[in-house]
Amino acid sequence: MKIAFLTPEYPHSETGNSGGLGTSIKNLAIALLNHGIAVRVLVYGQKKDALFDDNGILIQQIKNVKFKGLSWFLTRKKIEKIINKLYTNKEIDIVEAADWTGITSFIKPDKCPVIIRLHGSDTYFCHLDERKVKWQNKFHEKRALQNADHLLSVSQFTADKTNEVFGLNKKFAIIPNLIDTELFRGNNQNIGTEKSILYFGSLIRKKGLLELPLIFNKVIQKNPDSKLILVGKDVSDIISGNSSTWQMMQKLFSDEAIKNVEYVSSVPYAEIKEKIQKATVCVFPSFAEAFPVSWLEAMAMEKPIVASNIGWAGEMIEEGKNGFLVHPKNHDAFAEKISNLLEDEELCQKTGIAARKKVEDFFDIKVLAKKNIEFYKSVIK
């Protein structure tokens, strides 16, 4: 079996910046490769057309076609031609695309089946973030879903919300994002050495970063020696037009709290594990996710997390058992959950151990690789 993934991002120095979408695709690609399945990743929006090997995963870079007013259409037709050629030459059996901006809206291969996996479309995220979506993105995303041969989603919440925002009634197979728990294995040796709260991910409004200062202001009142560590790329704010979310955040911290905040811009992916290991608790006050890999990484490292209680979260965490879920706007409750963990080492250890078990049982590469393979086999049949 030979699978191709069509994506705008992939975590490699040759292909540029990548977020959660690229990470989830790479995790799945590695899992499939371990089961003897050939994987090719078609990365569009690249500076050049090229082909290279990433530890057994074949990466094909695709340069967009530049033609005023028709770039979007001609690029899709270029990708369609590539898919047809690969399928005819028996180099791929299936192509899977993400829902983001609807790249397959005008791609209809001659015979190769097209799967769309929901990781969260622009329309979906704009809805959750209460922002207006670009009409062209919504048009392409809806058309892509309507044209797909098969549909997947990383969470039931994302599937239901996608049907709602597009006015569709599609059936989605649900297969969550996976993680290799052997690569993310921690211990609790750092618990108690420092009261540190870690957030890692983009500094952006939709992930609750404008709520986090207000939450930490309340934490610092009860735990004046606690420290907030922020790791991730600073992103411009689409609503206010401000070029820096970090700048906006700084103005929201109290004078007392800002002294205990450390911001580290993007670090190499390999160093994230070290940051997680040193944290007492990880926090994710997000308004818009599909099934965040960052949460799984923290849980696999046996870290208690306090996170948003919106939609997808209940499919990952059982409140009070393997993590804590609070609405990001409820600053008092969010801060209280964090403070409870900072003040109770036993609670941290108990919650962290339960978090890892949850990931091992439901989201580990060993469990979900098989589910993905079974789905692909059913498509080919």
Side-chain angles (χ1 to χ4, degrees):
M1 189 157 53
K2 301 167 184 176
I3 311 297
F5 293 96
L6 179 60
T7 173
E9 62 179 57
Y10 181 81
H12 193 280
S13 58
E14 290 292 321
T15 51
N17 293 331
S18 175
L21 170 60
T23 301
S24 61
I25 288 173
K26 184 166 185 175
N27 287 347
L28 177 54
I30 291 169
L32 296 174
L33 204 64
N34 290 340
H35 282 78
I37 294 169
V39 179
R40 180 184 291 251
V41 181
L42 309 173
V43 191
Y44 59 91
Q46 296 290 291
K47 294 179 180 178
K48 61 182 179 180
D49 291 305
L51 195 66
F52 67 90
D53 184 277
D54 179 27
N55 296 313
I57 302 168
L58 199 58
I59 311 299
Q60 184 166 348
Q61 295 173 274
I62 301 171
K63 185 179 180 180
N64 287 10
V65 179
K66 299 294 183 182
F67 194 94
K68 190 174 181 180
L70 284 175
S71 294
W72 66 271
F73 181 76
L74 294 176
T75 297
R76 283 167 167 81
K77 287 301 156 184
K78 177 181 179 178
I79 294 170
E80 181 182 271
K81 188 176 180 181
I82 290 170
I83 292 170
N84 282 333
K85 184 178 180 181
L86 291 172
Y87 186 82
T88 300
N89 293 340
K90 297 185 178 180
E91 294 179 80
I92 62 172
D93 297 312
I94 302 169
V95 62
E96 178 184 305
D99 50 340
W100 179 257
T101 66
I103 187 63
T104 58
S105 60
F106 284 83
I107 294 175
K108 195 68 178 173
D110 296 335
K111 293 181 180 179
C112 183
V114 174
I115 299 167
I116 288 185
R117 188 186 302 250
L118 302 183
H119 292 274
S121 64
D122 188 36
T123 307
Y124 168 86
F125 282 123
C126 284
H127 177 81
L128 293 181
D129 207 23
E130 298 180 348
R131 290 185 289 111
K132 188 176 181 180
V133 66
K134 293 179 181 177
W135 71 265
Q136 60 267 43
N137 284 356
K138 186 172 184 177
F139 168 78
H140 286 299
E141 289 171 346
K142 183 173 183 178
R143 182 182 171 92
L145 290 169
Q146 290 172 320
N147 289 344
D149 298 304
H150 301 272
L151 296 167
L152 277 168
S153 178
V154 296
S155 70
Q156 187 63 57
F157 174 81
T158 304
D160 294 342
K161 191 61 68 175
T162 296
N163 271 328
E164 178 188 328
V165 297
F166 287 112
L168 298 173
N169 188 27
K170 296 285 187 178
K171 289 185 178 180
F172 293 87
I174 310 299
I175 305 179
N177 285 328
L178 55 79
I179 185 175
D180 186 346
T181 56
E182 290 304 311
L183 294 179
F184 285 86
R185 180 180 288 278
N187 56 62
N188 287 307
Q189 65 184 18
N190 296 101
I191 296 294
T193 58
E194 183 182 59
K195 292 182 178 181
S196 61
I197 304 157
L198 173 68
Y199 167 83
F200 60 100
S202 297
L203 271 61
I204 189 170
R205 182 188 291 264
K206 73 177 183 180
K207 291 186 179 288
L209 270 291
L210 297 183
E211 309 301 326
L212 192 50
L214 305 177
I215 292 167
F216 186 58
N217 288 347
K218 295 181 180 297
V219 173
I220 209 79
Q221 290 172 7
K222 284 191 70 177
N223 293 274
D225 57 340
S226 61
K227 187 175 182 181
L228 175 62
I229 301 165
L230 307 167
V231 179
K233 181 183 176 184
D234 185 16
V235 179
S236 59
D237 184 53
I238 197 167
I239 292 179
S240 68
N242 195 305
S243 62
S244 169
T245 299
W246 170 232
Q247 259 185 12
M248 298 171 68
M249 291 175 68
Q250 290 177 71
K251 296 174 184 177
L252 298 174
F253 286 110
S254 67
D255 291 339
E256 184 183 9
I258 192 68
K259 296 173 186 175
N260 287 24
V261 179
E262 177 187 339
Y263 171 49
V264 183
S265 190
S266 300
V267 299
Y269 186 68
E271 292 181 21
I272 289 294
K273 286 190 285 185
E274 183 183 337
K275 297 289 185 185
I276 299 171
Q277 179 61 59
K278 290 181 178 178
T280 308
V281 56
C282 293
V283 293
F284 304 101
S286 187
F287 291 103
E289 303 280 4
F291 203 88
V293 175
S294 55
W295 296 22
L296 297 178
E297 291 169 347
M299 292 169 72
M301 294 283 289
E302 294 188 27
K303 293 299 170 179
I305 76 173
V306 182
S308 167
N309 67 351
I310 300 171
W312 68 88
E315 298 178 49
M316 303 182 75
I317 294 170
E318 298 158 275
E319 159 63 22
K321 182 178 179 182
N322 40 46
F324 298 93
L325 302 176
V326 188
H327 196 278
K329 293 238 179 236
N330 192 341
H331 305 146
D332 288 319
F334 214 107
E336 184 181 359
K337 296 291 186 183
I338 295 171
S339 294
N340 289 343
L341 289 164
L342 293 176
E343 296 163 6
D344 191 336
E345 184 177 338
E346 186 178 341
L347 178 63
C348 278
Q349 292 179 342
K350 180 182 175 183
T351 307
I353 291 169
R356 179 172 174 85
K357 187 172 191 318
K358 175 78 175 186
V359 177
E360 286 178 331
D361 291 347
F362 295 97
F363 311 124
D364 185 63
I365 193 170
K366 300 181 190 70
V367 177
L368 292 180
K370 293 176 183 177
K371 287 189 177 181
N372 280 282
I373 291 168
E374 287 168 6
F375 180 83
Y376 292 141
K377 284 181 178 178
S378 71
V379 170
I380 292 173
K381 285 180 183 179

